[in-house]
Amino acid sequence: MKIICDLSGIVNYNQPAQGVRNIKNSGFETVFIDLKDIYMSSRKDKEINLFDACRTVAIKCKENNMQIYGFRIPCLQEDSSEFDLYQLQLQLAEEAIKICNETDSRYLIIPPVYSTQPAANQWEVNREYYIKLGKKAQENNVMILLENQYRTYNGRRIRGLCSDEKEAAQWIDKLNEIIGHEIFGFCMNTGHCNLFGKNMQELARTLGSRIKTVILQDSYGHSEGSLLPFTAVNGKTSQTDWLSLIRGLREIDYDGGLILDIEDTAAAFSPLLKPQLLSLTKDIAE
């Protein structure tokens, strides 16, 4: 398996050089970029261009001989205008596909477009969206990954699209059938699984070879967190069922990417301690 470091919480996107060097010196050779941080900065400061900033980070990675495994575009479910939401998310996804091609990155996590339609109609809402992006991804040698989602409703977190493994499998198989090639796969997010007590072994068993990437993040299960694995503990017991995950991945002979998302843990650490934290993170993954 390929061990990958998520830049979130570690790299300052305005001045990425030091963070990238720390990751490289810790033994990581591959990184993952979540565009949500750059996107939020660009919304606060209109002078920041989302994709120029992303390219700056990509250049620093290349200078350090580090491969960019993939990207994730932000989920815009909180936006109030459905039409603007669709167009904006489509634009972000299309630009991200271009960046994947420019940086020789294979994978792009693209969340679905949320709407006010009933859950049963979400497939129809997203069908043309994903087909259009799938054709563009095929032209650029990029694989689009669907991720088990959650969403907020009246301040509560509820299951989102593709949180059910059977639904996710149906979506992926149908989209690949329409495109005519294996352009769509699945990203398994352990933190999202933990929010609802999802059996990760069963999820892995059902999705099988459709799983191309696994995001490792720990949490306490009542809110999303991006903690170092095995650090969310209560009463001397881990709050994430890591054994279920390990058994599931072994059962399907998983040999894809493991993305370490430790954003919250890394953000809480002193800059002086981050090199040691990153070394420990890599050791845990291995």
Side-chain angles (χ1 to χ4, degrees):
M1 287 184 284
K2 182 170 288 189
I3 299 173
I4 303 142
C5 184
D6 188 327
L7 300 186
S8 300
I10 302 167
V11 171
N12 180 334
Y13 290 102
N14 295 323
Q15 298 176 319
Q18 185 61 55
V20 172
R21 279 198 299 270
N22 286 343
I23 293 171
K24 176 67 175 179
N25 292 338
S26 299
F28 287 99
E29 298 179 349
T30 312
V31 297
F32 175 81
I33 300 177
D34 192 331
L35 295 175
K36 72 177 188 303
D37 301 312
I38 308 177
Y39 172 74
M40 293 306 297
S41 297
S42 69
R43 292 195 66 178
K44 293 177 183 177
D45 185 348
K46 299 301 182 182
E47 294 184 1
I48 298 177
N49 181 283
L50 174 66
F51 296 102
D52 285 346
C54 183
R55 289 184 178 97
T56 299
V57 176
I59 289 171
K60 290 300 178 183
C61 291
K62 186 175 182 180
E63 289 175 355
N64 285 272
N65 296 316
M66 300 185 71
Q67 177 189 1
I68 299 177
Y69 184 78
F71 296 83
R72 173 166 55 187
I73 70 166
C75 182
L76 308 180
Q77 59 176 297
E78 302 300 333
D79 286 45
S80 58
S81 171
E82 184 179 341
F83 177 78
D84 291 341
L85 166 64
Y86 178 90
Q87 294 298 329
L88 177 57
Q89 192 155 309
L90 182 64
Q91 179 185 357
L92 287 173
E94 290 178 337
E95 288 296 325
I97 289 172
K98 293 179 184 177
I99 291 179
C100 282
N101 181 273
E102 292 174 12
T103 58
D104 295 322
S105 304
R106 174 64 171 145
Y107 298 105
L108 177 61
I109 301 173
I110 301 182
V113 173
Y114 282 89
S115 77
T116 56
Q117 296 292 323
N121 297 337
Q122 290 297 331
W123 162 252
E124 293 303 324
V125 173
N126 282 278
R127 182 176 180 273
E128 293 304 318
Y129 166 74
Y130 276 124
I131 290 174
K132 184 172 184 178
L133 292 174
K135 291 177 179 178
K136 194 171 188 67
Q138 184 178 10
E139 295 170 0
N140 288 272
N141 193 32
V142 174
M143 174 168 275
I144 294 174
L145 303 183
L146 308 186
E147 182 182 14
N148 48 315
Q149 300 284 323
Y150 76 90
R151 61 184 307 184
T152 56
Y153 179 75
N154 289 337
R156 296 187 302 111
R157 289 172 177 79
I158 60 176
R159 294 176 187 269
L161 298 177
C162 293
S163 62
D164 179 82
E165 59 269 23
K166 293 180 181 178
E167 175 192 57
Q170 290 174 353
W171 277 44
I172 291 167
D173 292 347
K174 188 62 178 178
L175 288 168
N176 283 331
E177 180 184 342
I178 293 171
I179 298 296
H181 295 276
E182 189 185 17
I183 297 299
F184 292 88
F186 190 76
C187 170
M188 179 181 180
N189 188 312
T190 64
H192 294 178
C193 288
N194 200 34
L195 284 174
F196 308 104
K198 192 73 181 175
N199 185 320
M200 289 186 276
Q201 183 176 5
E202 181 60 33
L203 186 148
R205 181 185 297 126
T206 300
L207 285 162
S209 62
R210 301 177 187 88
I211 300 176
K212 307 301 181 183
T213 297
V214 176
I215 295 179
L216 300 178
Q217 57 175 200
D218 209 348
S219 72
Y220 286 93
H222 49 73
S223 61
E224 184 180 15
S226 296
L227 304 178
L228 181 68
F230 302 103
T231 60
V233 178
N234 186 28
K236 300 181 181 179
T237 302
S238 176
Q239 299 304 288
T240 296
D241 188 358
W242 295 110
L243 184 57
S244 172
L245 172 68
I246 293 169
R247 286 173 172 168
L249 297 183
R250 283 178 176 172
E251 186 174 331
I252 65 172
D253 294 323
Y254 181 72
D255 194 32
L258 291 178
I259 299 174
L260 277 299
D261 177 7
I262 61 165
E263 179 178 6
D264 293 325
T265 300
F269 265 62
S270 163
L272 296 176
L273 295 174
K274 283 188 178 179
Q276 291 90 335
L277 171 64
L278 288 168
S279 295
L280 174 61
T281 300
K282 190 169 188 297
D283 289 342
I284 289 174
E286 290 177 335

